[in-house]
Amino acid sequence: MMYALYLSAYHERKFWFSNRQELEREITFQGDSAIYYSYYKDMLKAPSFERGVYELTHNNKTVSLKTINAVQQMSLYPELIASVLYQATGSNEMIEPVYFYIGIVFGLQGIYVTALFVTSWLMSGTWLAGMLTVAWFIINRVDTTRIEYSIPLRENWALPYFACQVAALTGYLKCNLNSYAERFCYLLMSASTYTFMMMWEYSHYLLFLQAISLFLLDIFSVDQSDKVHEVYKIYIFSLFLGYLLQFENPALLVSPLLSLVAALMLTKCLQLNVKKGTFIAKIMKVINFYLVCTLTVTLNIIMKMFVPHKENGHMLKFLEVKFGLNMTKNFTMNWLLCQESLQAPSQDFFLRLTQSSLLPFYILVLIICLLSMTQVIIRRINGKSLKETVTLEDGRIGERPEIIYHVIHTILLGSLAMVIEGLKYIWTPYVCMLAAFGVCSPELWMTLFKWLRLRTIHPILLALILSMAVPTIIGLSLWKEFFPRLMTELTELQEFYDPDTVELMTWIKRQAPIAAVFAGSPQLMGAIKLCTGWMVTSLPLYNDDDLLKRNENIYQIYSKRSAEDIYKILTSYKANYLIVEDAICNEVGTMRGCRVKDLLDVANGHVVCEEGDKLTYSKYGRFCHEVKINYSPYVNYFTRVYWNRSYFVYKINTVISFQS
């Protein structure tokens, strides 16, 4: 509750939210966030819930010449739930829709940190670990969550449920768990897995990584094999139920998660009852691993052959270019590569984690756990029997199944976060949790002392003292250094000032015809859809090939193309108005070659890309500059009807004849 209230207070101070008009509040939702919130507004305006859902699933009022199932394509289940709750609870008489919406998201963030708190507590056995986890999470907020930048993002709705699922899985994997606790963890895990899958279109990829972690756990820890396979059943159930309730979404059928779980189930049926520890059993482990990998790939290929799908083909092309397996001049691919969230993490990221002492302790804990796991694996390979119950004095933290799972999972997530910075928002919260668990766990200290062969002081006593002293010292140092900064954030009143966008939206609502269609950058189109309700030609969404192609075509207004070319592109989408943004047209990019106009010049062959390419020039000037001068032929196609310091709006003339 305190964290949710903190986020609410910070948001109020950052945007001066309560003192803004509705239009100014809506402008704070940027890019794809604006689209999600606009559909929440549409649901509240609908005469009934059924009618609202129908209009969203057969939506032809958002993108020109295109009917979309917005619920499936944009995972709008959060907006459906929020609109139902808003009206069913009678909140429309007490609170404005926007406060109800952001209040739910902030509440979910409170559940998020609570789940991390519980996970760390379950692993370490002390609430101190939970407190340290939350402290590190909040201090490193820039790298643990995007909540303050884009509230309606799908991940802000989904990741709290994933954190709950991880907490339940951690409890479920623990040894010596009583039947009631085990049943509770199983039910919570089932509910949170399915909910997570419904909230985010990319959730099955994250669950795929979790399934790999559990598969490796099953190999290293045979004692938990039955529990692991129960989790696989939850995946299967969630996938098929999600497939049915997401309008038979083919993406779930061709997902790698389904192929992996199906392969694991098949190999489980093929396993022979071989005595553990024998040479044949070791050979069977290797064969089993090979079978799972081969079957997973085979099943996925077969599913993609028989199930019609458009499963993010651009993602595979992006990864090929990202890892240097392919070269391209394609605008969309190069534009995605230039996005900060899709590049490798900067040095500042590691510096921030080090300054808060998170990264050093995480690396220390990870190394100790990995070495202890390696010891356990070597013992098993050598056929040595392991104790059924591991005591503190044994100092074998690597034998605990929940520790093995978390170590593997954090390594997989960390490996991806080192390649794509945007994935740090999934990895860093678990870095906080694992580091806090380690420094607060007497068992981890005892494992370290066993290796050091400490004899001068009783190791158990020292481990208990350090597991309380070290987190206390860390907590006090964090309090002294970072607490004043957090308080300063809450006391400083920041200013959100964007009068040009407010003026543009006001002009559209007052002057533009209701049936008008607007063309411009996808980010601006999202804001227009939310603030005015007018139809647009493109959206800031990157999971649909047609929308990606539209975005590329509309961006040609910033290229060196003729007025006739641009006119043909815009009229092919039935656009009535064109909006040129000065910020894009006169962009001074910090990263070489990543400005929109530079990427367009490369894609259109108007500049030299690589050594050996021919130098070609366009005989036309840059359209966004030329159209402002108001001379022929531009004035024949476009008529300027509104402008301010940031935006130029042109009416696209309807009576034009082209000569072949």
Side-chain angles (χ1 to χ4, degrees):
M1 285 181 65
M2 288 179 66
Y3 181 60
L5 291 172
Y6 164 75
L7 286 176
S8 180
Y10 178 75
H11 181 259
E12 171 63 29
R13 288 289 179 177
K14 184 177 181 180
F15 295 109
W16 208 6
F17 209 66
S18 61
N19 293 281
R20 297 288 179 188
Q21 297 178 352
E22 184 180 4
L23 180 59
E24 292 175 308
R25 291 176 183 172
E26 291 177 349
I27 287 173
T28 63
F29 297 112
Q30 300 290 323
D32 51 348
S33 295
I35 297 297
Y36 299 131
Y37 184 72
S38 72
Y39 287 122
Y40 168 70
K41 280 180 60 181
D42 291 345
M43 281 299 298
L44 295 181
K45 292 176 184 176
S48 67
F49 177 76
E50 293 79 9
R51 183 63 190 172
V53 171
Y54 179 82
E55 289 179 355
L56 290 186
T57 54
H58 302 78
N59 187 281
N60 58 3
K61 297 178 180 178
T62 299
V63 184
S64 61
L65 303 179
K66 191 174 176 69
T67 299
I68 58 175
N69 183 341
V71 177
Q72 179 192 29
Q73 189 165 341
M74 302 176 199
S75 299
L76 294 181
Y77 293 95
E79 283 66 36
L80 297 183
I81 295 168
S83 62
V84 168
L85 289 176
Y86 183 70
Q87 293 173 329
T89 57
S91 300
N92 51 346
E93 299 175 359
M94 298 179 290
I95 187 172
E96 295 179 57
V98 65
Y99 281 108
F100 186 83
Y101 185 88
I102 64 176
I104 292 178
V105 184
F106 290 154
L108 285 172
Q109 300 310 299
I111 293 173
Y112 194 180
V113 294
T114 303
L116 293 172
F117 177 99
V118 171
T119 306
S120 192
W121 190 347
L122 284 169
M123 293 171 66
S124 64
T126 172
W127 59 268
L128 273 175
M131 294 298 292
L132 189 56
T133 299
V134 175
W136 266 327
F137 182 93
I138 296 174
I139 288 166
N140 295 284
R141 195 178 68 249
V142 175
D143 301 305
T144 55
T145 177
R146 280 195 281 198
I147 186 68
E148 63 187 70
Y149 304 109
S150 303
I151 293 173
L153 281 181
R154 300 301 84 179
E155 65 192 60
N156 292 334
W157 286 89
L159 290 180
Y161 294 103
F162 183 64
C164 290
Q165 191 255 17
V166 170
L169 179 59
T170 303
Y172 186 65
L173 291 175
K174 284 175 73 73
C175 298
N176 303 321
L177 198 67
N178 67 63
S179 58
Y180 293 106
E182 187 174 307
R183 192 176 303 164
F184 173 76
C185 289
Y186 182 83
L187 292 174
L188 177 59
M189 189 168 37
S190 302
S192 52
T193 301
Y194 172 68
T195 309
F196 174 57
M197 198 171 288
M198 295 294 288
M199 291 289 172
W200 196 20
E201 61 183 309
Y202 299 118
S203 58
H204 56 92
Y205 292 114
L206 193 51
L207 292 173
F208 171 66
L209 292 179
Q210 188 183 72
I212 293 175
S213 305
L214 291 172
F215 168 52
L216 296 175
L217 167 65
D218 191 17
I219 291 175
F220 299 143
S221 177
V222 291
D223 300 331
Q224 299 295 320
S225 183
D226 292 338
K227 286 186 176 181
V228 167
H229 280 81
E230 286 298 319
V231 181
Y232 295 156
K233 292 176 185 177
I234 292 175
Y235 292 150
I236 293 284
F237 174 77
S238 299
L239 279 168
F240 281 108
L241 190 59
Y243 170 75
L244 295 174
L245 295 182
Q246 289 185 17
F247 307 93
E248 298 183 357
N249 184 4
L252 297 180
L253 292 184
V254 298
S255 70
L257 175 63
L258 181 60
S259 301
L260 174 61
V261 175
L264 289 164
M265 292 291 195
L266 285 171
T267 51
K268 174 75 172 176
C269 298
L270 296 172
Q271 278 180 1
L272 301 174
N273 291 322
V274 181
K275 188 178 179 181
K276 296 174 185 177
T278 62
F279 177 75
I280 297 175
K282 295 170 188 176
I283 295 295
M284 287 302 296
K285 282 278 186 184
V286 177
I287 295 172
N288 181 50
F289 183 83
Y290 173 76
L291 268 177
V292 169
C293 296
T294 308
L295 272 173
T296 300
V297 175
T298 306
L299 288 172
N300 196 249
I301 292 171
I302 292 171
M303 290 298 288
K304 287 183 176 180
M305 287 173 59
F306 290 98
V307 178
H309 70 287
K310 295 180 180 179
E311 177 49 10
N312 300 318
H314 60 280
M315 284 179 59
L316 296 175
K317 295 176 185 175
F318 165 76
L319 291 173
E320 286 179 3
V321 178
K322 174 77 176 175
F323 293 113
L325 302 176
N326 197 359
M327 296 293 291
T328 182
K329 295 182 181 179
N330 180 269
F331 169 80
T332 300
M333 287 299 107
N334 288 326
W335 185 83
L336 288 172
L337 282 171
C338 283
Q339 298 306 298
E340 186 178 349
S341 62
L342 295 176
Q343 295 173 11
S346 62
Q347 290 183 351
D348 292 340
F349 167 60
F350 300 104
L351 184 62
R352 287 191 298 269
L353 296 189
T354 304
Q355 286 174 340
S356 65
S357 72
L358 173 60
L359 193 59
F361 282 109
Y362 168 73
I363 293 172
L364 176 64
V365 171
L366 188 62
I367 289 172
I368 294 172
C369 290
L370 270 175
L371 290 175
S372 184
M373 281 173 54
T374 307
Q375 278 187 330
V376 174
I377 294 166
I378 292 171
R379 284 196 192 99
R380 289 206 167 151
I381 291 173
N382 293 332
K384 293 181 180 179
S385 60
L386 302 175
K387 289 186 177 181
E388 291 185 7
T389 56
V390 180
T391 61
L392 176 59
E393 192 174 355
D394 294 325
R396 294 181 184 176
I397 199 164
E399 287 189 17
R400 290 170 53 186
E402 70 272 22
I403 304 301
I404 297 173
Y405 157 71
H406 277 288
V407 168
I408 298 171
H409 199 192
T410 190
I411 290 173
L412 290 176
L413 290 175
S415 302
L416 292 175
M418 294 305 102
V419 178
I420 299 175
E421 186 176 13
L423 295 176
K424 71 181 181 181
Y425 298 107
I426 300 173
W427 177 61
T428 316
Y430 295 97
V431 170
C432 299
M433 185 269 298
L434 199 70
F437 137 75
V439 298
C440 297
S441 173
E443 200 172 346
L444 184 130
W445 289 107
M446 193 63 203
T447 303
L448 180 61
F449 295 155
K450 274 283 186 180
W451 296 337
L452 298 175
R453 301 192 178 184
L454 188 67
R455 299 183 187 278
T456 53
I457 305 174
H458 198 284
I460 295 179
L461 179 61
L462 185 59
L464 291 170
I465 292 171
L466 287 177
S467 65
M468 290 186 287
V470 172
T472 303
I473 294 169
I474 295 171
L476 289 173
S477 63
L478 293 177
W479 178 279
K480 183 178 179 180
E481 184 175 356
F482 292 98
F483 184 73
R485 299 185 193 179
L486 296 176
M487 290 299 101
T488 302
E489 288 179 349
L490 293 180
T491 53
E492 285 184 351
L493 186 62
Q494 301 181 43
E495 183 68 31
F496 176 77
Y497 189 64
D498 191 2
D500 292 345
T501 305
V502 173
E503 289 173 8
L504 173 66
M505 300 303 167
T506 304
W507 180 86
I508 291 173
K509 293 172 78 171
R510 291 177 179 174
Q511 302 294 330
I514 294 176
V517 177
F518 283 83
S521 71
Q523 286 72 24
L524 181 60
M525 295 302 99
I528 288 175
K529 171 64 178 73
L530 168 59
C531 298
T532 69
W534 265 246
M535 196 177 290
V536 294
T537 55
S538 58
L539 290 175
L541 299 170
Y542 312 106
N543 59 355
D544 181 88
D545 291 336
D546 180 59
L547 286 176
L548 285 172
K549 188 63 180 175
R550 281 175 177 247
N551 292 344
E552 181 177 350
N553 289 338
I554 299 299
Y555 264 132
Q556 295 297 325
I557 62 178
Y558 301 104
S559 69
K560 296 177 179 180
R561 299 277 293 271
S562 68
E564 183 178 346
D565 285 348
I566 301 300
Y567 181 84
K568 286 180 176 179
I569 290 171
L570 296 174
T571 51
S572 69
Y573 295 121
K574 302 296 181 183
N576 306 116
Y577 290 89
L578 166 66
I579 303 177
V580 175
E581 296 173 63
D582 243 12
I584 300 177
C585 191
N586 301 316
E587 183 181 3
V588 181
T590 54
M591 189 178 298
R592 185 182 173 213
C594 274
R595 297 181 300 180
V596 168
K597 51 188 179 183
D598 294 337
L599 296 174
L600 288 166
D601 290 345
V602 168
N604 296 335
H606 296 154
V607 295
V608 174
C609 270
E610 300 173 10
E611 193 175 340
D613 284 354
K614 292 182 179 179
L615 180 63
T616 58
Y617 292 102
S618 172
K619 62 181 180 180
Y620 304 104
R622 197 167 300 283
F623 176 83
C624 62
H625 288 149
E626 301 295 324
V627 74
K628 295 176 185 176
I629 303 175
N630 276 340
Y631 67 84
S632 182
Y634 296 90
V635 72
N636 299 331
Y637 298 102
F638 307 97
T639 304
R640 188 163 65 192
V641 291
Y642 173 80
W643 70 93
N644 59 31
R645 290 174 301 178
S646 302
Y647 304 102
F648 293 80
V649 182
Y650 296 88
K651 191 176 188 305
I652 300 170
N653 299 332
T654 53
V655 183
I656 297 290
S657 60
F658 294 106
Q659 300 296 323
S660 58

